[in-house]
Protein backbone atom coordinates (compact mmCIF):
# COMPACT_ATOMS: atom_id res chain seq x y z
CA UNK A 1 0.00 0.00 0.00
CA UNK A 2 1.12 3.54 -0.69
CA UNK A 3 2.09 5.35 2.50
CA UNK A 4 0.12 8.62 2.19
CA UNK A 5 1.54 11.43 4.35
CA UNK A 6 -0.87 14.18 3.36
CA UNK A 7 -3.64 14.85 0.87
CA UNK A 8 -4.77 17.79 -1.19
CA UNK A 9 -7.60 18.52 -3.61
CA UNK A 10 -6.34 20.54 -6.59
CA UNK A 11 -8.76 22.94 -8.27
CA UNK A 12 -7.86 24.79 -11.44
CA UNK A 13 -10.55 27.49 -11.55
CA UNK A 14 -11.72 29.45 -14.56
CA UNK A 15 -11.53 32.63 -12.43
CA UNK A 16 -8.90 32.24 -9.68
CA UNK A 17 -9.76 35.49 -7.88
CA UNK A 18 -13.46 34.58 -7.71
CA UNK A 19 -12.55 31.16 -6.32
CA UNK A 20 -10.17 32.64 -3.72
CA UNK A 21 -12.89 35.11 -2.69
CA UNK A 22 -15.34 32.23 -2.24
CA UNK A 23 -13.15 29.67 -0.47
CA UNK A 24 -11.21 32.16 1.67
CA UNK A 25 -13.91 34.80 2.16
CA UNK A 26 -17.39 33.35 1.85
CA UNK A 27 -16.52 29.87 3.13
CA UNK A 28 -13.90 31.25 5.52
CA UNK A 29 -11.23 28.58 5.03
CA UNK A 30 -7.90 29.42 6.67
CA UNK A 31 -4.84 29.75 4.44
CA UNK A 32 -2.19 27.07 4.95
CA UNK A 33 0.26 28.60 2.46
CA UNK A 34 0.54 30.67 -0.67
CA UNK A 35 3.03 30.44 -3.52
CA UNK A 36 3.81 32.19 -6.76
CA UNK A 37 2.73 35.66 -7.83
CA UNK A 38 0.08 37.25 -9.97
CA UNK A 39 -3.54 36.30 -10.56
CA UNK A 40 -2.82 32.60 -11.06
CA UNK A 41 -0.74 32.25 -7.86
CA UNK A 42 -1.47 29.30 -5.62
CA UNK A 43 -3.40 29.39 -2.37
CA UNK A 44 -3.67 26.29 -0.20
CA UNK A 45 -6.46 26.19 2.37
CA UNK A 46 -6.83 23.96 5.41
CA UNK A 47 -9.66 21.53 4.79
CA UNK A 48 -10.09 19.50 7.96
CA UNK A 49 -7.70 16.55 7.62
CA UNK A 50 -6.55 17.61 4.14
CA UNK A 51 -6.00 20.68 2.00
CA UNK A 52 -7.65 22.49 -0.91
CA UNK A 53 -5.33 24.14 -3.41
CA UNK A 54 -6.57 26.84 -5.78
CA UNK A 55 -3.92 27.50 -8.42
CA UNK A 56 -3.47 28.03 -12.11
CA UNK A 57 -6.35 28.65 -14.47
CA UNK A 58 -8.56 26.31 -16.46
CA UNK A 59 -10.27 27.12 -19.73
CA UNK A 60 -13.33 25.15 -18.65
CA UNK A 61 -14.77 24.24 -15.22
CA UNK A 62 -13.67 21.07 -13.46
CA UNK A 63 -15.61 17.87 -13.82
CA UNK A 64 -19.33 18.55 -13.32
CA UNK A 65 -19.42 15.65 -10.86
CA UNK A 66 -16.89 17.22 -8.45
CA UNK A 67 -18.28 17.46 -4.91
CA UNK A 68 -16.70 18.43 -1.59
CA UNK A 69 -17.88 17.02 1.76
CA UNK A 70 -17.18 19.24 4.75
CA UNK A 71 -18.04 18.09 8.26
CA UNK A 72 -18.94 20.82 10.76
CA UNK A 73 -19.96 20.81 14.43
CA UNK A 74 -23.25 22.64 13.85
CA UNK A 75 -24.86 22.65 10.41
CA UNK A 76 -27.61 25.10 11.47
CA UNK A 77 -24.97 27.62 12.54
CA UNK A 78 -23.04 27.01 9.30
CA UNK A 79 -26.26 27.59 7.35
CA UNK A 80 -26.78 30.95 9.07
CA UNK A 81 -23.13 32.01 8.67
CA UNK A 82 -22.86 30.98 5.03
CA UNK A 83 -26.19 32.60 4.15
CA UNK A 84 -25.08 35.84 5.81
CA UNK A 85 -21.76 35.65 3.90
CA UNK A 86 -23.64 35.43 0.60
CA UNK A 87 -23.15 31.76 -0.22
CA UNK A 88 -25.73 30.28 -2.58
CA UNK A 89 -27.57 27.71 -0.48
CA UNK A 90 -28.85 25.00 -2.79
CA UNK A 91 -30.61 23.15 0.01
CA UNK A 92 -30.97 24.07 3.69
CA UNK A 93 -30.09 21.57 6.44
CA UNK A 94 -32.14 18.39 6.41
CA UNK A 95 -31.81 15.11 8.29
CA UNK A 96 -31.16 12.44 5.68
CA UNK A 97 -32.53 8.88 5.91
CA UNK A 98 -28.98 7.74 6.79
CA UNK A 99 -29.05 10.01 9.87
CA UNK A 100 -26.71 12.86 8.86
CA UNK A 101 -27.75 16.52 8.87
CA UNK A 102 -26.76 17.83 5.42
CA UNK A 103 -27.03 21.07 3.50
CA UNK A 104 -25.69 21.90 0.05
CA UNK A 105 -24.08 25.10 -1.23
CA UNK A 106 -22.79 26.16 -4.63
CA UNK A 107 -19.15 27.10 -5.21
CA UNK A 108 -17.59 28.67 -8.32
CA UNK A 109 -17.26 26.60 -11.49
CA UNK A 110 -20.19 24.33 -10.62
CA UNK A 111 -18.53 22.71 -7.60
CA UNK A 112 -21.14 21.55 -5.08
CA UNK A 113 -20.33 21.40 -1.38
CA UNK A 114 -22.14 19.21 1.12
CA UNK A 115 -21.91 20.68 4.62
CA UNK A 116 -22.53 17.87 7.11
CA UNK A 117 -23.18 17.51 10.82
CA UNK A 118 -22.77 14.05 12.30
CA UNK A 119 -25.26 13.89 15.23
CA UNK A 120 -23.95 12.63 18.57
CA UNK A 121 -26.11 9.49 18.34
CA UNK A 122 -25.07 8.61 14.77
CA UNK A 123 -23.18 5.30 14.29
CA UNK A 124 -20.22 7.26 12.88
CA UNK A 125 -19.72 8.63 16.42
CA UNK A 126 -21.34 6.09 18.71
CA UNK A 127 -20.24 2.51 19.15
CA UNK A 128 -22.13 0.52 21.79
CA UNK A 129 -20.00 -1.22 24.37
CA UNK A 130 -16.99 1.08 24.07
Amino acid sequence: MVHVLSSRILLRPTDPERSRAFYGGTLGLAVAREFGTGPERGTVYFLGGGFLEISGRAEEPSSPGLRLWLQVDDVAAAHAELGAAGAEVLRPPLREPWGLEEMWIAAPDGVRICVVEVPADHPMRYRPGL
Side-chain angles (χ1 to χ4, degrees):
M1 167 137 190
V2 175
H3 183 80
V4 177
L5 299 176
S6 181
S7 63
R8 186 179 295 189
I9 297 167
L10 306 175
L11 287 181
R12 301 290 181 254
T14 57
D15 183 340
E17 289 303 324
R18 178 182 69 174
S19 290
R20 271 190 282 281
F22 176 80
Y23 291 102
T26 304
L27 200 55
L29 297 179
V31 173
R33 70 179 289 254
E34 295 180 286
F35 56 91
T37 59
E40 296 175 25
R41 69 190 180 281
T43 304
V44 179
Y45 297 97
F46 287 106
L47 196 60
F51 298 93
L52 173 66
E53 177 181 316
I54 306 295
S55 62
R57 180 183 301 269
E59 293 297 317
E60 303 208 5
S62 302
S63 167
L66 179 62
R67 304 290 184 261
L68 299 179
W69 192 90
L70 306 178
Q71 183 179 343
V72 298
D73 287 332
D74 184 340
V75 74
H79 179 246
E81 288 177 30
L82 291 168
E88 180 185 353
V89 177
L90 301 173
R91 198 198 76 199
L94 176 70
R95 181 165 292 231
E96 298 291 356
W98 44 91
L100 299 177
E101 297 281 342
E102 297 182 2
M103 69 175 276
W104 286 86
I105 62 173
D109 289 334
V111 175
R112 298 292 184 248
I113 301 175
C114 183
V115 181
V116 179
E117 177 182 339
V118 180
D121 63 345
H122 193 276
M124 287 175 70
R125 289 186 186 243
Y126 175 73
R127 295 188 304 172
L130 293 181

